[in-house]
Amino acid sequence: CSGAVEGFPAGRYACSDLEAKAEVLGQCSTWSQVYRNALEDECGAGLRLASAEFSAGTHHSIRHGCNDVATLETMLVSQVDAARGADVELFWWSYKMPYGGAFRNAWSLKHLLYLLGVLPKPDEALFHCGDHVPPLGEPRDGSL
């Protein structure tokens, strides 16, 4: 189900190819029912199932993964719809990821909801790179 900026062979679709993206994600949306059927065949009906480490990421490598909001939204909606259809709960990879760099758009739920216009502010870092945050008990004057 991988999408990549450059498309094939790094991914099954290019981020900008709407037709290929829809086709691939349509094929991949069967994952949740396949998951449910396999476990219920083994353990019986009525299982409470969840999928952990869920995100809107399209590729395991950030160098190749789609990072545009339209693709991330499509990935989110297609996975939520598939899981809902098979009664599989989803557990998001990370609610906040303020130091996640390029991974943040697809992996931080709070930041993605900001990009989609749901939340009023982004997933902001408490500190900036290079800021020194003294640990508890460190003298403020720098002496040890």
Side-chain angles (χ1 to χ4, degrees):
C1 297
S2 293
V5 173
E6 67 277 22
F8 187 80
R12 290 187 55 205
Y13 62 87
C15 307
S16 60
D17 188 340
L18 300 179
E19 189 175 306
K21 185 186 329 180
E23 180 183 341
V24 169
L25 293 180
Q27 294 165 0
C28 294
S29 68
T30 62
W31 72 267
S32 56
Q33 195 59 57
V34 169
Y35 175 52
R36 174 160 291 288
N37 292 345
L39 288 171
E40 287 189 346
D41 286 349
E42 188 70 29
C43 303
L47 297 174
R48 184 173 180 193
L49 299 177
S51 176
E53 296 191 12
F54 161 60
S55 77
T58 65
H59 199 279
H60 66 273
S61 169
I62 197 60
R63 290 182 43 209
H64 299 287
C66 304
N67 218 4
D68 61 288
V69 176
T71 298
L72 298 178
E73 181 177 24
T74 300
M75 193 68 162
L76 170 69
V77 170
S78 68
Q79 291 182 83
V80 168
D81 288 348
R84 192 175 284 148
D87 194 24
V88 174
E89 294 180 56
L90 297 173
F91 182 82
W92 194 268
W93 169 252
S94 178
Y95 176 68
K96 284 177 62 172
M97 202 174 175
Y99 304 102
F103 289 100
R104 189 168 72 159
N105 287 359
W107 287 7
S108 167
L109 179 58
K110 185 175 181 184
H111 196 71
L112 180 59
L113 291 175
Y114 165 74
L115 294 173
L116 296 175
V118 175
L119 293 179
K121 61 183 187 173
D123 183 5
E124 297 172 328
L126 297 175
F127 308 101
H128 299 286
C129 287
D131 287 354
H132 175 68
V133 180
L136 190 60
E138 179 180 297
R140 296 239 179 240
D141 65 3
S143 66
L144 296 174

